[in-house]
């Protein structure tokens, strides 16, 4: 929740911990505003193997704190990735999925 200072601090610290503890993953910058289809601040992490995915998601389950986590694959269908193939840890946030539809 970008309007709750403690949650913003937690998200910043979580991002830094992910960077330190999972250097083998692709970790993108922390956006402190909505970006793309996301309606709140966010950062993206890509995993590349089943082992990385399992280790990272297990870690997130314990360490995500007040942060919600959107988990989705990256296929050739961004709309489907963010809707029917998506899973959330924590409270789901609304997404602007219109921008992801192929026209």
């Amino acid at each position: 929740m970008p309007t709750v200072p403690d949650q913003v601090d937690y998200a910043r610290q979580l991002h830094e911990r992910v960077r330190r503890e999972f250097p083998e993953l692709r970790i993108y910058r922390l956006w402190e505003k909505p970006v793309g289809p996301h309606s709140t601040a966010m950062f993206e992490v890509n995993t590349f193997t089943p082992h990385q995915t399992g280790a990272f998601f297990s870690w997130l389950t314990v360490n995500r704190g007040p942060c919600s986590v959107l988990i989705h694959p990256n296929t050739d269908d961004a709309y489907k990735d963010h809707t029917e193939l998506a899973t959330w840890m924590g409270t789901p946030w609304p997404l602007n999925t219109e921008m992801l539809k192929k026209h």
Side-chain angles (χ1 to χ4, degrees), residues 48 63 73 86 96:
F48 302 101
N63 294 289
N96 177 8

Side-chain angles (χ1 to χ4, degrees), residues 38-91:
H38 306 278
S39 60
T40 190
M42 56 80 74
F43 64 92
E44 179 181 348
V45 178
N46 295 154
T47 60
F48 302 101
T49 68
H51 176 76
Q52 288 175 342
T53 303
F56 183 55
F57 291 178
S58 297
W59 184 90
L60 277 174
T61 300
V62 174
N63 294 289
R64 68 177 178 79
C67 299
S68 293
V69 178
L70 170 62
I71 301 163
H72 69 78
N74 288 316
T75 69
D76 62 351
D77 188 338
Y79 178 79
K80 191 173 179 180
D81 292 346
H82 285 78
T83 55
E84 67 183 84
L85 298 179
T87 300
W88 284 89
M89 283 186 202
T91 304

